[in-house]
Amino acid sequence: AQSVAQPEDQVNVAEGNPLTVKCTYSVSGNPYLFWYVQYPNRGLQFLLKYITGDNLVKGSYGFEAEFNKSQTSFHLKKPSALVSDSALYFCARWEGFQKLVFGTGTRLLVSP
Amino acid sequence: DAGITQSPRHKVTETGTPVTLRCHQTENHRYMYWYRQDPGHGLRLIHYSYGVKDTDKGEVSDGYSVSRSKTEDFLLTLESATSSQTSVYFCAISESGTDAADTQYFGPGTRLTVL
């Protein structure tokens, strides 16, 4: 089974509306999970991570993610989307020694 | 981009030619990584280094070699480039490769086209 999966290739949302970018993970192993964002022609920028503790993780640029063990999900959320949030978002899972496995990415388009 | 530079940023080359990509960091982090990014695959690990002259293979290492002679520099070499190696290559660094709480930070990427 895929370690992490991003079921949506693209998410469209209007500016000012809440946004959710989905990520699910396979049950086996520890769920150490990360979100990264990639703006056009840039490298990946770290947003947030879940290791242990509070299921709601707050990160950069107003983003947060909710770890849900029963649904094996780690969805990225923001209460009010900005046009500047338009980018490619990657969920990733740390699987042990040097191994960070990435999902296939979700393109977020925020319309004015 | 977290004190990481990559050179060149763009390169076009021909099949069969050798190509070397350079990653330079100013963070003095022990671990360095090379990934490739392809549509539908996310990022996949090519090779990584856990210290000077200490390297190991990742998920997609065939056709690639690496070297690390200084803490700050990590080189990726395509001995004989093929069209399947057309991709965007990212370097990443981390303080520890063994700690789940550690975060990898990425460079700006190199877009390589093999004709």
Side-chain angles (χ1 to χ4, degrees):
Chain A
Q2 208 170 3
S3 182
V4 288
Q6 295 181 244
E8 301 159 316
D9 290 335
Q10 183 165 310
V11 170
N12 297 305
V13 64
E15 188 174 32
N17 285 356
L19 70 87
T20 299
V21 182
K22 296 179 180 178
C23 174
T24 59
Y25 64 92
S26 59
V27 175
S28 62
N30 292 313
Y32 301 132
L33 300 163
F34 296 74
W35 275 103
Y36 286 84
V37 59
Q38 184 180 26
Y39 297 102
N41 300 314
R42 299 287 299 276
L44 275 71
Q45 295 181 30
F46 169 72
L47 282 177
L48 50 83
K49 63 185 176 185
Y50 172 83
I51 305 298
T52 60
D54 195 346
N55 289 342
L56 186 63
V57 181
K58 294 190 181 297
S60 306
Y61 313 121
F63 284 94
E64 58 188 26
E66 185 175 8
F67 174 73
N68 188 317
K69 188 174 182 179
S70 64
Q71 297 185 5
T72 62
S73 66
F74 188 57
H75 300 335
L76 181 70
K77 299 181 179 183
K78 188 175 183 181
S80 179
L82 300 173
V83 172
S84 58
D85 292 329
S86 298
L88 189 57
Y89 291 81
F90 288 98
C91 180
R93 179 178 183 173
W94 192 83
E95 292 194 339
F97 204 55
Q98 282 88 27
K99 193 171 183 182
L100 190 62
V101 177
F102 286 84
T104 52
T106 298
R107 187 165 301 281
L108 174 66
L109 291 178
V110 182
S111 55
Chain B
D1 291 316
I4 309 168
T5 57
Q6 294 185 231
S7 59
R9 294 293 314 278
H10 301 271
K11 186 170 182 66
V12 179
T13 190
E14 294 188 349
T15 299
T17 60
V19 176
T20 296
L21 309 182
R22 179 179 183 244
C23 176
H24 178 81
Q25 60 144 332
T26 58
E27 305 297 323
N28 201 36
H29 282 3
R30 180 181 175 190
Y31 287 82
M32 299 185 75
Y33 311 80
W34 277 108
Y35 290 87
R36 58 178 290 172
Q37 182 182 17
D38 303 291
H41 290 278
L43 276 77
R44 292 178 292 175
L45 182 65
I46 304 171
H47 281 280
Y48 64 91
S49 170
Y50 49 97
V52 173
K53 297 185 180 180
D54 293 322
T55 65
D56 207 346
K57 296 178 179 180
E59 178 187 0
V60 290
S61 59
D62 288 348
Y64 302 95
S65 62
V66 291
S67 64
R68 192 170 178 196
S69 59
K70 298 185 289 185
T71 298
E72 59 266 35
D73 290 326
F74 191 32
L75 304 181
L76 176 71
T77 297
L78 291 65
E79 300 289 348
S80 178
T82 67
S83 58
S84 64
Q85 294 176 313
T86 293
S87 187
V88 181
Y89 291 86
F90 288 100
C91 175
I93 64 173
S94 68
E95 288 188 88
S96 165
T98 58
D99 184 351
D102 198 30
T103 299
Q104 292 187 19
Y105 296 96
F106 286 79
T110 294
R111 183 174 296 275
L112 176 67
T113 301
V114 183
L115 301 176

